[in-house]
Amino acid sequence: MSITHIYFDIGGVLGSNGWDHEQRAAAVAEFGLDGTAFERQHQEVVGMLEEGEITLDEYLDYAVFDHPRRFTREEFVAFMLAQSRPWPASLELARALARSGRYRLMTINNESAELSAHRVRAFGLHEIFVAFFTSCFVGAAKPSRRIYETALSVAQASPPDSVFIDDRPANLFPAERLGMHTIQFTNPDALRQELHALGVTI
């Protein structure tokens, strides 16, 4: 076994989720939204947002600013972005892998273009990863087979020589079916041990 490519999810592995149910619940509390209506409208358009079919502004027009609010769009977006929090131990592990020079590190994640750009900057991901296979740019989202196939083919990576790390089992199954090694993330120490079992050294 000779691992050459390591693919990381971002939310739930390298930091908090960006705009998952916890973050949306916090927004409901912060801005006094009708949680049921907001969640319904969010679900109707989030797929289009994450696959790059609509912009963040268009998402907000539908999901939040469908009628006048007592807060501004800028305040809401600032709150959204502030929910992204890096996890230093996970990021340091990824940095160590990158510094070793033995592996090509990339990401596979579901996110809007605007949120992705913010998290790359806020987490310093451009210093670690050589490519970002984000749903908004690929036009497909996990667990769709297409996003994994794109990540492998663009990188010219062989599935048996590749590892995909994600915190959600449903996102790991398609990678397994393609022949990739997979690791369900729980914490950085366990990840280090599971990578070591695959011959990945830091």
Side-chain angles (χ1 to χ4, degrees):
M1 188 188 309
S2 177
I3 300 300
T4 57
H5 292 71
I6 304 176
Y7 296 90
F8 279 77
D9 178 32
I10 297 178
V13 176
L14 298 172
S16 66
N17 288 315
W19 194 233
D20 211 333
H21 59 91
E22 303 99 330
Q23 292 75 34
R24 297 195 303 276
V28 167
E30 176 71 16
F31 295 100
L33 301 176
D34 178 332
T36 301
F38 169 57
E39 191 62 23
R40 182 184 66 251
Q41 291 166 206
H42 162 83
Q43 293 297 339
E44 288 174 355
V45 294
V46 66
M48 292 186 287
L49 174 69
E50 291 188 343
E51 293 188 19
E53 296 177 20
I54 62 173
T55 65
L56 180 59
D57 270 339
E58 290 171 313
Y59 164 83
L60 292 173
D61 286 341
Y62 187 85
V64 181
F65 294 95
D66 55 325
H67 60 271
R69 299 289 190 179
R70 284 187 271 181
F71 52 88
T72 67
R73 182 179 300 257
E74 291 73 23
E75 288 171 332
F76 194 86
V77 171
F79 182 87
M80 287 182 71
L81 299 183
Q83 302 314 297
S84 293
R85 296 181 176 87
W87 292 349
S90 292
L91 288 167
E92 182 49 41
L93 174 55
R95 285 193 187 94
L97 289 168
R99 284 195 301 265
S100 76
R102 291 189 286 271
Y103 315 101
R104 295 180 67 79
L105 272 63
M106 306 179 186
T107 69
I108 302 176
N109 68 300
N110 295 347
E111 243 166 22
S112 68
E114 296 85 351
L115 189 55
S116 175
H118 168 74
R119 282 152 74 84
V120 167
R121 290 193 302 270
F123 292 7
L125 301 183
H126 60 284
E127 301 168 356
I128 302 171
F129 299 98
V130 299
F132 301 91
F133 294 97
T134 308
S135 58
C136 61
F137 303 125
V138 177
K142 297 178 298 184
S144 167
R145 182 185 182 95
R146 181 180 164 197
I147 193 168
Y148 306 91
E149 290 178 330
T150 299
L152 290 167
S153 61
V154 171
Q156 292 294 292
S158 170
D161 298 333
S162 304
V163 183
F164 176 52
I165 303 158
D166 198 294
D167 60 313
R168 300 182 180 183
N171 291 336
L172 297 172
F173 296 150
E176 290 175 359
R177 287 193 288 268
L178 287 170
M180 300 173 73
H181 300 279
T182 61
I183 297 174
Q184 183 179 357
F185 178 85
T186 54
N187 62 72
D189 289 337
L191 175 57
R192 186 185 296 268
Q193 293 172 8
E194 292 182 80
L195 284 169
H196 183 73
L198 293 173
V200 175
T201 57
I202 301 173

